[in-house]
Amino acid sequence: MIRTGRIIPAARKESITLAAEVIRKGGLVAFPTETVYGLGCDALNPEAVARVFEAKQRPSFDPLIVHVAEKAALDGLTQTISLSDHRLMERFWPGPLTLLLPKRARVPDLVTAGLPTIAVRMPSHPVAQELIREAAVPIAAPSANPFGYVSPTCAQHVADGLGERVDLILDGGPCQLGVESTIASMIGSRPELLRPGSITLEEISKVVGPVVRARESLTMAVPGRLARHYATHTPLTILTGHTVRSVRPLGERAGLLAMTAPRHGEQRYCAIEVLSPSGDLREAAQHLFAALRRLDAQGFDRLYAEPCDERGLGMAIMDRLRRCAEPLT
């Protein structure tokens, strides 16, 4: 078994062949998707799945998302697929939408945290697609980082966080979207948005009708829904109308995550990361996790984050910031 954690270029055919072999033999491969880098294994191999949890130090009650390259793979993973699910697949697959579906018994309980449902998506990134097809197995893959920390959006982030705990890292460059997939469920009495992402609530509603955003207490068994997640080591506070950028305790070394171009008062911060000078939410989402990592690496006393309008993709950005944030004491 390869245990080097080395980074290899995903553009080479031999890299995909090697990575697929590692997956089939029960190993772990970090690979790029359009959202973030995933830590992949054979979803039907319980020992390999257990290695993912061990490598990430991920609690067993947090289920994994299973990645497929074609709809035919769902036959071996799910019991039934509703008409609404089919419509969403037609509209958004391949892409950053995860669907919660009734699972078959052959799917290891560790993958689904013992639940009767399985989270499945079809990534659009060509490297992810090629790896799944070459491995010829569904790939279970949470984000390729230590549990609870900021998700990785480039190969070096994976190496910095997991090192020798991953057998191989496919370097496919920076991720295009930068936030994890949207998770939706058609299982209940009405369509639910379980985790916001690049596919917005409004876009889903156009396909299946009115969608409700599930209450936090009902989504704890969905990937990435713990109250504190995607978190920096440095305490982070989200600025509000009562805590403007220029007001912070004297003597505090702080960094600022700014949504738009800098304004007055920001000279009091030691470093500023601007997510989008023009205020474009897609650009902001793409840069979110990398910017948080850069600020976190500078050893400040506290980080401050500017909020954005919580509509469309702004809902996903604010969801990630809230799970990273700690209250100001």
Side-chain angles (χ1 to χ4, degrees), residues 35-36 96 143 150-151 178-182 195-198 230 289 316 320:
T35 58
V36 300
S143 56
V150 180
S151 296
V179 293
E180 298 80 3
S181 63
T182 302
R195 182 176 74 182
S198 295
Y230 316 114
F289 287 142
R320 303 314 190 268

Side-chain angles (χ1 to χ4, degrees), residues 90 101 112 119 154 165 172 189 211 222 258 278 288 292 313 328:
E90 287 296 322
L101 304 168
T112 64
C154 71
R165 285 174 282 175
S189 59
V211 177
V222 175
S278 65
L288 177 63
L292 283 171
L313 187 52
L328 183 62

Side-chain angles (χ1 to χ4, degrees), residues 4-20 29-32 37 125-128 130-131 154-156 167-174:
T4 64
R6 71 181 185 274
I7 300 174
I8 60 175
R12 297 176 182 172
K13 175 60 178 176
E14 57 267 30
S15 297
I16 301 295
T17 300
L18 175 60
V29 173
F31 63 97
Y37 272 70
H125 197 291
V127 172
E130 191 174 358
L131 175 62
C154 71
Q156 191 58 52
D167 297 314
L168 208 60
I169 301 171
L170 287 174
D171 186 356

Side-chain angles (χ1 to χ4, degrees), residues 12-214:
R12 297 176 182 172
K13 175 60 178 176
E14 57 267 30
S15 297
I16 301 295
T17 300
L18 175 60
E21 181 182 1
V22 171
I23 291 285
R24 287 194 299 270
K25 290 183 176 180
L28 307 186
V29 173
F31 63 97
T33 75
E34 68 276 23
T35 58
V36 300
Y37 272 70
L39 181 61
C41 74
D42 179 353
L44 302 179
N45 181 336
E47 293 183 1
V49 174
R51 283 194 61 203
V52 167
F53 280 87
E54 180 183 14
K56 283 179 59 73
Q57 294 297 293
R58 184 183 180 99
S60 61
F61 58 75
D62 197 6
L64 306 180
I65 294 175
V66 176
H67 297 66
V68 298
E70 54 189 22
K71 289 183 182 178
L74 296 176
D75 293 339
L77 300 173
T78 67
Q79 296 183 36
T80 58
I81 301 176
S82 71
L83 178 59
S84 292
D85 284 315
H86 277 297
R87 288 172 175 168
L88 290 172
M89 291 175 194
E90 287 296 322
R91 173 65 181 84
F92 298 114
W93 278 16
L97 176 66
T98 295
L99 294 172
L100 208 62
L101 304 168
K103 86 174 185 77
R104 288 193 179 276
R106 70 192 294 253
V107 178
D109 284 341
L110 186 58
V111 171
T112 64
L115 298 171
T117 53
I118 181 173
V120 187
R121 89 174 184 100
M122 184 188 296
S124 62
H125 197 291
V127 172
Q129 283 270 330
E130 191 174 358
L131 175 62
I132 298 167
R133 294 181 190 278
E134 184 80 14
V137 295
I139 293 181
S143 56
N145 58 294
F147 179 74
Y149 191 58
V150 180
S151 296
T153 54
C154 71
Q156 191 58 52
H157 291 165
V158 180
D160 292 343
L162 295 179
E164 296 294 318
R165 285 174 282 175
V166 57
D167 297 314
L168 208 60
I169 301 171
L170 287 174
D171 186 356
C175 295
Q176 178 184 6
L177 299 178
V179 293
E180 298 80 3
S181 63
T182 302
I183 302 179
S185 172
M186 305 294 122
I187 291 177
S189 59
R190 52 187 179 175
E192 289 185 297
L193 178 69
L194 303 180
R195 182 176 74 182
S198 295
I199 305 298
T200 67
L201 184 149
E202 294 84 355
E203 290 174 310
I204 295 173
S205 297
K206 289 180 181 179
V207 178
V208 297
V211 177
V212 298
R213 188 173 179 181

